[in-house]
Amino acid sequence: MTIPVPCGWLLLDKPVGLSSTRAVSRIKRLFQAKRAGHAGTLDPLASGLLAIALGPATRWCAYLLDAPKSYRFTIRLGRETDSHDAESLETAPPRAEIPSLERAEIDDLLSRFTGTIQQVPPMYSALHSEGRRLYELAREGKVVDRPPREVRIDRLELLADRREEWELEVSCGKGTYVRSLGHDIGKALGCGAYVSQLRRTELGVFDEAQAVSLEQVEADSEEARLARLLPADAVLPEWPVHSCTASEEAALRNGQQIAHEGSAGFWKLQDAQGQFFGVAEVLETGQLQPRRLMDR
């Protein structure tokens, strides 16, 4: 019996304690896929939405990496950790008294962290310094200078104030470290803070309501498992579509340009059967130039 080649997106509700790499590996094995990848790493201590691409859909992971993301997270006040989360041991900063703030004062404080801000990446991150990952150096007790980076915070809202813990929700752009955000809020309060819980709720066009648990996927029949996959072009819902004739598809697959009467920008390509097979860009000449195509 021929096993169907999986192609599409599985939205996994990643549990705490499982790395993104191991989550992808388990899904890849369940689907018997030759290729698998994810768009946006979640730390082992984080849960929530992990978008996993299978088969030819892996070619579209890049279209989610720059997408906006949303998280719910909890910060523990009055304590800090080297990792800015619960992975390392708590320490009490010199001024650990937690201030008593009214809601308006909290909202004012959080507003300072919205918009385009400068953020120092944590030592416990996958960024490189002189050819080594920062987290490798951190685990050896080393600290290196990390230049601040510009990140975008679209929304930062307090959901609950439990005196020693704040539950927050943030919508942010590419490259934002929620752990650093929690640490910086603690510095601004003067008492220190670290992220004790973190859950991704949105990633681009996807949200947590669409996600399924690993246990659900494992319990599925092969047919039900494949039925869970969203199409490869689900990451491009607003893009216009150019429906190709067989000869146009052949030309595009050979790297040739074809005539096009639509507006400038990027277009999704569909074959004569209405199946997505790639993306192309309209040039100044009005011709459609292939940019990334699905494997046959």
Side-chain angles (χ1 to χ4, degrees):
M1 182 180 69
T2 302
I3 299 174
V5 176
C7 176
W9 292 92
L10 180 79
L11 303 183
L12 182 71
D13 188 342
K14 189 192 83 66
V16 171
L18 188 67
S19 71
S20 295
T21 299
R22 287 188 59 82
V24 170
S25 178
R26 290 175 68 170
I27 292 299
K28 180 181 178 182
R29 185 170 62 252
L30 285 169
F31 279 86
Q32 301 182 54
K34 292 184 178 180
R35 286 183 288 165
H38 67 81
T41 301
L42 280 176
D43 293 336
L45 292 180
S47 66
L49 187 57
L50 184 67
I52 300 175
L54 297 168
T58 54
R59 294 185 63 83
W60 317 109
C61 284
Y63 290 84
L64 268 187
L65 292 177
D66 294 341
K69 305 170 181 66
S70 294
Y71 300 87
R72 284 196 307 273
F73 66 106
T74 301
I75 58 174
R76 169 94 188 272
L77 303 179
R79 293 289 186 271
E80 293 180 346
T81 70
D82 292 338
S83 61
H84 301 345
D85 65 11
E87 184 178 357
S88 53
L89 296 176
E90 293 182 355
T91 59
R95 295 179 56 203
E97 183 179 348
I98 301 171
S100 180
L101 301 179
E102 299 293 335
R103 177 59 188 257
E105 294 175 298
I106 296 174
D107 290 342
D108 180 65
L109 172 71
L110 297 181
S111 71
R112 298 184 226 163
F113 294 95
T114 58
T116 300
I117 64 172
Q118 296 291 314
Q119 185 181 78
V120 177
M123 273 300 301
Y124 283 78
S125 66
L127 300 177
H128 286 86
S129 176
E130 298 183 352
R132 297 190 65 192
R133 300 281 190 180
L134 288 182
Y135 64 76
E136 295 174 343
L137 299 174
R139 287 168 182 164
E140 295 172 4
K142 299 176 181 177
V143 177
V144 299
D145 288 335
R146 289 99 64 205
R149 305 191 306 174
E150 191 175 90
V151 298
R152 190 187 77 252
I153 307 293
D154 297 314
R155 182 176 61 90
L156 179 59
E157 181 181 351
L158 179 73
L159 300 180
D161 175 7
R162 295 186 284 270
R163 178 59 178 161
E164 293 186 357
E165 286 187 336
W166 285 2
E167 185 178 349
L168 302 139
E169 193 167 57
V170 63
S171 297
C172 54
K174 177 185 177 183
T176 302
Y177 283 94
V178 178
R179 287 180 289 134
S180 289
L181 178 61
H183 175 78
D184 291 343
I185 291 171
K187 285 178 61 178
L189 286 167
C191 65
Y194 69 88
V195 173
S196 58
Q197 292 182 310
L198 176 63
R199 179 175 178 80
R200 185 155 64 200
T201 57
E202 294 180 347
L203 174 60
V205 297
F206 303 137
D207 67 62
E208 62 178 337
Q210 299 169 276
V212 296
S213 70
L214 187 59
E215 290 76 16
Q216 286 176 295
V217 181
E218 289 174 334
D220 280 342
S221 66
E222 180 182 306
E223 183 180 7
R225 200 172 287 146
L226 289 171
R228 289 193 186 277
L229 293 183
L230 300 176
D233 62 334
V235 295
L236 313 170
E238 305 299 327
W239 286 30
V241 176
H242 179 93
S243 297
C244 298
T245 63
S247 60
E248 285 179 327
E249 180 185 355
L252 290 167
R253 287 193 176 279
N254 286 325
Q256 301 171 14
Q257 299 171 12
I258 63 171
H260 180 74
E261 297 180 355
S263 59
F266 288 89
W267 287 65
K268 292 194 290 187
L269 302 171
Q270 286 185 353
D271 62 21
Q273 288 72 47
Q275 297 298 309
F276 169 74
F277 73 92
V279 299
E281 182 181 12
V282 178
L283 305 179
E284 292 182 359
T285 59
Q287 297 287 100
L288 201 58
Q289 171 70 46
R291 292 302 184 198
R292 182 169 298 188
L293 303 180
M294 189 88 76
D295 300 339
R296 287 185 181 276

